[in-house]
Each structure stands twice: as structure tokens, then as C-alpha cells.
Amino acid sequence: MKRERLDKVLANMGFGTRKEVKQLVKQGRITVDGTTATDPGMHVIPEEQEISVDDEPLTYKRWIYVMLNKPPGVISATEDARHETVVDLLPYEWATKVHPVGRLDIDTEGLLLLTNDGQLSHNLLSPKKKVDKEYFARIEGRVTEQHVQAFAKGVELEDFTTLPARLEILSSGDVSEIKVTIMEGKFHQVKRMFAAFGLQVIYLKRIRMGSLHLDESLEPGEYRELTEEELDALRGRER
């Protein structure tokens, strides 16, 4: 296990800046294995040693993996001057450390993974990995088998031609309901693909990313940590 500075560990867990943590140490409010800490720079193994603040033992987690059902009106960023961000929906001790894996448009709902595991994030987003992303959408206009075939070949947009996508028609009419699976995640991609055929996406929700499926018990704005099974499946994508 890696040894780390006590002030860095506590700062990463949301107990303030290193300067503020030093004040906690100075006030005698931090103990390590039952002994009052006197040096904020002391090295600890947070996974193995008991660290307490105000006599409350801490549960240290080096890596955080959170599934969020992103609501509309919230942006996929860690900070923004005008809009609420996805990390604003999380507890402080998570919000200060994680980042969203990819982005959903401000009006798009659904599955968003947030983590501080940069390697996993990179591998899920790398174009070489071709991690598929599945969406449910309502489309203004009739979606037909011709669109299914066109998506399967790749849709030519102004600046690029998409990789082949899988389009499933759930219902077709004045408002059609569909599922679409793409392997890229370019800006407004799903909306632009339908717009290329004169169709407008009026509702969009991501329901899957690779092996990770949205937990339908999560209401918009709700979140939970990934299960070990979900995490193992995602890591399997890394190898």
C-alpha cells in the first residue's frame, strides 16, 4: 500500500485545504491509530490505519465510482458560472474529487459515470476502444426501416461520417420512440444524425455505456456507487 501525507489524505476526503487540515492537527482533533497526530506531514497508509477526526473514524476510499441519473438542465462539468453542474448533485466529499466520464447535453437525461479513476475514464472514452452508448429517444416525425439501414451504414454529417450505428424502432408515428446505439460521442451527435433526415429529437436519455446500464430505480438527480460486479465488468473493458 502507498504511504501518503496525512494532510493530503484528509484534504482529498473533503476536510478542507491542506492549510485548514493543519489547523485541525494543531487543535488536536485528528488521531492516527488512537494517537493524537502532531505533524500534518506524517505519512500514513489510509487503507490500513485508523484515522479519526473529532473521534469519528474515517472510511477511506482511494477510488470513487458513482452512477448518476442526470436530470435535464444540469451540465456535465465540474464547475460553471451560470448552470448547476453534475458534481453539485453529489456529497461534498465526492464532488471535490470526481469528474464526469464524457458529457451529456444540458437537456439530455440518463446515465452518467463520475469517478476519480483517470485510467478507467480514458479507456471508456478512447475512440480505439469503441465503447458503445445506448440511448432512448422520442423523435418528432416517422422513423422508418430506411433510417435503420442508413444508420447501419453511417450517417454523413457536415464535418464527419459517423461509424455504423444500431437503430431500433419501438414505435413509429407522428412521434416515434426508438433506441439507438453509437460508438462515438461527438457534440450533439444523436440529434445531428436524426436532423440529417429532417427529424427532430424531442427527448433523449442515455441508458447504457458499455457494460454499465442505468439503474432504473434512480430518479433524475439521484445517484449511487457502482457495485463490485458493475465495476469488474467495466474494468474487463480495460484489459
Side-chain angles (χ1 to χ4, degrees):
M1 294 289 184
K2 182 181 178 182
R3 290 184 176 273
E4 298 185 55
R5 286 176 57 105
L6 177 62
D7 55 359
K8 180 180 178 182
V9 169
L10 290 172
N12 286 342
M13 293 184 72
F15 285 93
T17 64
R18 287 200 192 184
K19 184 177 180 180
E20 290 168 335
V21 171
K22 287 177 182 178
Q23 286 300 311
L24 296 178
V25 172
K26 188 176 181 179
Q27 294 163 8
R29 296 167 59 186
I30 299 173
T31 61
V32 178
D33 293 334
T35 301
T36 300
T38 58
D39 178 11
M42 71 179 290
H43 285 81
V44 296
I45 304 176
E47 294 92 344
E48 296 182 355
Q49 294 179 273
E50 182 179 281
I51 303 171
S52 299
V53 178
D54 294 332
D55 297 322
E56 288 290 330
L58 308 180
T59 301
Y60 179 80
K61 290 185 178 180
R62 185 177 299 277
W63 305 116
I64 300 170
Y65 306 91
V66 179
M67 175 192 299
L68 170 70
N69 185 357
K70 177 193 168 300
V74 178
I75 65 169
S76 301
T78 56
E79 59 182 346
D80 188 83
R82 293 185 301 160
H83 298 97
E84 185 177 28
T85 72
V86 289
V87 298
D88 291 332
L89 302 174
L90 304 181
Y92 177 77
E93 61 268 23
W94 289 352
T96 55
K97 291 194 284 186
V98 300
H99 60 269
V101 180
R103 294 177 179 271
L104 294 177
D105 296 340
I106 189 169
D107 58 345
T108 300
E109 301 180 17
L111 174 64
L112 189 66
L113 174 64
L114 297 106
T115 183
N116 59 344
D117 185 340
Q119 187 61 56
L120 178 62
S121 178
H122 170 76
N123 288 339
L124 290 173
L125 296 176
S126 171
K128 295 179 181 179
K129 299 289 185 179
K130 295 184 179 178
V131 177
D132 51 8
K133 304 160 189 70
E134 185 177 8
Y135 296 81
F136 168 81
R138 294 190 182 97
I139 311 298
E140 188 172 19
R142 186 175 297 275
V143 180
T144 69
E145 186 62 31
Q146 288 182 318
H147 298 120
V148 174
Q149 295 173 10
F151 273 51
K153 294 177 182 177
V155 178
E156 186 174 342
L157 304 178
E158 284 185 9
D159 49 343
F160 77 106
T161 299
T162 72
L163 292 173
R166 185 168 66 252
L167 175 60
E168 177 186 355
I169 302 173
L170 303 177
S171 66
S172 183
D174 292 339
V175 174
S176 301
E177 293 191 344
I178 61 92
K179 286 183 180 179
V180 60
T181 303
I182 62 175
M183 286 182 288
E184 301 129 311
K186 297 185 184 293
F187 189 62
H188 292 327
Q189 181 172 332
V190 173
K191 295 174 183 176
R192 294 178 65 198
M193 290 172 74
F194 281 101
F197 299 95
L199 300 169
Q200 182 181 358
V201 175
I202 56 177
Y203 176 81
L204 188 61
K205 178 180 181 179
R206 184 158 69 189
I207 57 178
R208 181 174 61 83
M209 183 178 187
S211 63
L212 187 63
H213 292 256
L214 176 65
D215 184 339
E216 293 294 345
S217 70
L218 293 176
E219 295 292 331
E222 291 186 339
Y223 54 84
R224 66 165 173 80
E225 290 187 86
L226 297 194
T227 65
E228 286 299 324
E229 291 77 12
E230 288 169 336
L231 190 52
D232 286 344
L234 282 180
R235 284 172 169 162
R237 174 71 73 164
E238 286 186 75
R239 293 193 291 269

